[in-house]
Amino acid sequence: MNTSSLAQARLIVSNVPDPEIPAVTLADLGILRSVEEIDGQIVVTLTPTYSGCPATEAIKQDVHTQLAANHITNARVQITLSPAWTTDWITPEGKKKLLAYGIAPPNCSANGQALQFSAPSRGITCPQCESQSTERLSQFGSTPCKALYRCKACKEPFDYFKPY
Amino acid sequence: MMAKLVQINIARMKAPIDSPLLADFASQLDVVNAQAEGSAGFIWRLKDDTGNATTISATSPFGPEMLVNLSIWDNPDSLKAFVYRNQNHGAALKNRAQWFESMNIPHFAMWWLEDNEIPTLIDAKRRLQFLADNGDTPYAFTFKKSFSPQDSISEQVNTHLLLSLADEALIHSQRISEWCGHGPILEEDLALGNVALDYLGQARLLFGEVARREGKSRDEDDLAYFRNENEFLNSSLVELPNSSEFGDRDYAMTIAKLFLHSSYMLLKWRALQQSSDRSLSAIASKSLKECTYHFDHAQQWLLRFGDGTDESHSRIQGAINYLLPYTNEWFHDFPIDVAAFEKGIAPLPSSLQLAWRTKISQVIEEADLKLPEPVKFLSRGKKGYHSESLSLLLAEMQSLARQHPGANW
């Protein structure tokens, strides 16, 4: 296998969309750790988000499918837990895409104040009208990684990607 | 404490114990048993009111046709001396085939007693099965290969600990998920579904690790669906039902349980991040993040209930009072916990108790509730002794997998 096909594999995997939030790719979310060639085989290393996130299985499958569609069948997807994934790994590009999709990205680093308990909903911007006047409806939303918020200005509910 | 050796010996009778075929055998029992008890190194044997173990068979986990002999000795040599050098026992051994079927599974096993608890036939059965599957190991061995009491604990400690954490997460997850579709409000339904899912994810990671280390053909599903209740090592608290005198699902009970448990796991996962076991440390780092949200959620509801109406206040207080004695088990240093601590795998359970009590008492006080005084009660779910609640939970959880083994989505 030559360097260009490794580069190609890397590009393909980077652009696999997240099954739950198709607006962002695996690379945007920061769950793609590496794409390497080991003994002629493409090895993709992923870090799962939440322990129980059902998307992890779907993502593995999608990576295989996308590679196979580009004639790369000799691939292996491995999962590594350490270091644990954090929302700090979502790229700036990824955060922009989340916002455009209607999901407020984490507003602070996961290392620090976010993991202090009962963080109030300060500074979480409504992805629809950009108002700062928002309130939390529930710490737990439609997927493990999101909380449910409501904008007091435009009255629209929205998802917030919570710091992890 | 001196180490003690347990032995189990089973024999499948060709006819009932009071039948003519076994009369010769039965007539020797009293003498042989008395000589066993008089032997050097004998400590204890399982017996019924008649002084024999024959009536115990009727209700034993091995089935009524199996004669059981469970005893404790000071070491394998004392046992060996009695088994092979005692004349009466030796003679009985020779005539074995007259009275008993030959068995193609192990009928004899020894192991070191981990603490001073009286061994049970359920445990003995588990060990004989393990011997059949794995040959001589510190968990169950024969005269072919002896192990020291130290071997016995250190070999099992990593997988035992991982399995115990996995069971804790799985059973807690299953119990919480009973709220799916029954949450008091939609947001809470979703919240508890999410919490249960986190626990389930943690359980899968841990079961996967256990399966990988066992190196047997068991996978995570086998561990979850094809073990019986006495093989589960979760603490008793997580298996307790969501019900109370107020109904089948009492939200106060669930919140109190989640509050007590997540505050404990928060401290435990934090400490386990430093584990010498790297896989466990990786799982701990992930789980800690999730646990932080669980605790936050439970704490906020606890404050609302405590500070709410008279009804909510009395229900949450009642739930805390009911559950608190079951938390003692979390901080009890069982021998396996001490071994894990000595190997740098896990914190000593008792070392977390003060920090935990401080943590929960702050919230409980803020909620205008009272933390009951500690009591001596000690549940032993982590040792495999469970309440009937676990049987019912497992029956529901495992029935599909057991009725359709290998079924796929």
Side-chain angles (χ1 to χ4, degrees), chain B residues 209-403:
Chain B
E209 196 56 36
V210 171
R212 197 178 63 72
R213 291 184 194 196
E214 279 189 340
K216 293 195 273 177
S217 51
R218 290 209 288 190
D219 65 10
E220 53 182 274
D221 281 355
D222 294 325
L223 288 165
Y225 296 129
F226 293 92
R227 284 182 304 142
N228 295 328
E229 63 267 28
N230 54 56
E231 295 171 273
F232 275 78
L233 304 172
N234 58 282
S235 70
S236 298
L237 181 130
V238 293
E239 76 204 35
L240 296 175
N242 294 311
S243 59
S244 76
E245 60 192 289
F246 301 106
D248 285 349
R249 290 187 195 81
D250 185 348
Y251 211 61
M253 185 61 80
T254 301
I255 289 297
K257 201 199 278 191
L258 188 61
F259 170 73
L260 296 172
H261 195 259
S262 60
S263 51
Y264 156 65
M265 289 310 292
L266 209 52
L267 295 167
K268 185 146 175 165
W269 288 129
R270 193 170 287 153
L272 285 172
Q273 283 185 294
Q274 316 301 327
S275 174
S276 61
D277 186 315
R278 290 175 66 186
S279 305
L280 180 54
S281 140
I283 294 170
S285 300
K286 282 200 78 57
S287 305
L288 176 61
K289 295 181 182 218
E290 290 151 17
C291 190
T292 308
Y293 280 110
H294 305 164
F295 175 71
D296 185 34
H297 191 70
Q299 152 181 271
Q300 289 182 34
W301 276 102
L302 192 93
L303 290 169
R304 279 186 205 127
F305 285 155
D307 238 357
T309 63
D310 288 347
E311 172 82 9
S312 72
H313 181 95
S314 78
R315 280 211 202 182
I316 195 78
Q317 183 69 66
I320 289 174
N321 296 352
Y322 172 71
L323 293 170
L324 203 72
Y326 290 94
T327 62
N328 290 346
E329 181 181 359
W330 299 340
F331 308 106
H332 183 78
D333 300 333
F334 290 106
I336 199 97
D337 297 311
V338 177
F341 170 68
E342 284 167 357
K343 290 180 79 181
I345 302 170
L348 207 54
S350 58
S351 73
L352 301 174
Q353 189 159 23
L354 184 65
W356 176 77
R357 238 187 127 81
T358 310
K359 190 173 192 71
I360 62 162
S361 59
Q362 284 164 357
V363 186
I364 285 177
E365 200 171 304
E366 198 187 331
D368 205 20
L369 295 164
K370 284 195 176 60
L371 185 61
E373 285 303 308
V375 292
K376 286 255 167 39
F377 172 76
L378 183 65
S379 54
R380 286 180 168 79
K382 283 167 71 182
K383 302 274 297 173
Y385 300 100
H386 294 285
S387 64
E388 65 191 13
S389 314
L390 185 66
S391 313
L392 296 166
L393 180 149
L394 290 181
E396 186 176 22
M397 186 182 83
Q398 298 180 328
S399 62
L400 186 113
R402 289 189 181 219
Q403 284 173 42

Side-chain angles (χ1 to χ4, degrees), chain A residues 48-52 54 57 81-82 84-86 114-115 117-118 136-141 143-144 148 162-164, chain B residues 187 190-191 194-195 197-198 201-202 204-205 266 282-283 285-286 289-290 292-297 299-300 359:
Chain A
T49 56
Y50 283 70
S51 302
E57 295 297 323
L81 294 181
S82 183
W85 177 81
T86 156
L115 289 183
F117 305 124
S118 312
R136 188 173 75 191
L137 295 179
S138 175
Q139 186 70 276
F140 298 89
T143 64
L148 192 59
K162 55 195 180 193
Y164 176 87
Chain B
E187 286 79 3
L190 272 176
N194 270 294
V195 172
L197 190 62
D198 284 342
Q202 293 165 13
R204 287 193 60 190
L205 292 174
L266 209 52
I283 294 170
S285 300
K286 282 200 78 57
K289 295 181 182 218
E290 290 151 17
T292 308
Y293 280 110
H294 305 164
F295 175 71
D296 185 34
H297 191 70
Q299 152 181 271
Q300 289 182 34
K359 190 173 192 71

Side-chain angles (χ1 to χ4, degrees), chain B residues 22-89:
Chain B
L22 266 83
D24 194 21
F25 170 80
S27 69
Q28 298 176 39
L29 264 178
D30 285 345
V31 176
V32 175
N33 281 333
Q35 289 180 345
E37 289 184 3
S39 297
F42 171 90
I43 296 170
W44 173 90
R45 71 185 175 89
L46 181 69
K47 55 186 176 185
D48 54 33
D49 294 340
T50 69
N52 291 322
T54 48
T55 61
I56 289 169
S57 296
T59 55
S60 106
F62 291 101
E65 78 283 12
M66 202 76 90
L67 208 57
V68 297
N69 179 302
L70 183 71
S71 59
I72 301 180
W73 298 74
D74 61 354
N75 63 53
D77 292 336
S78 307
L79 175 62
K80 202 171 187 172
F82 167 71
V83 170
Y84 294 112
R85 271 174 245 141
N86 176 285
Q87 272 192 349
N88 292 319
H89 190 265

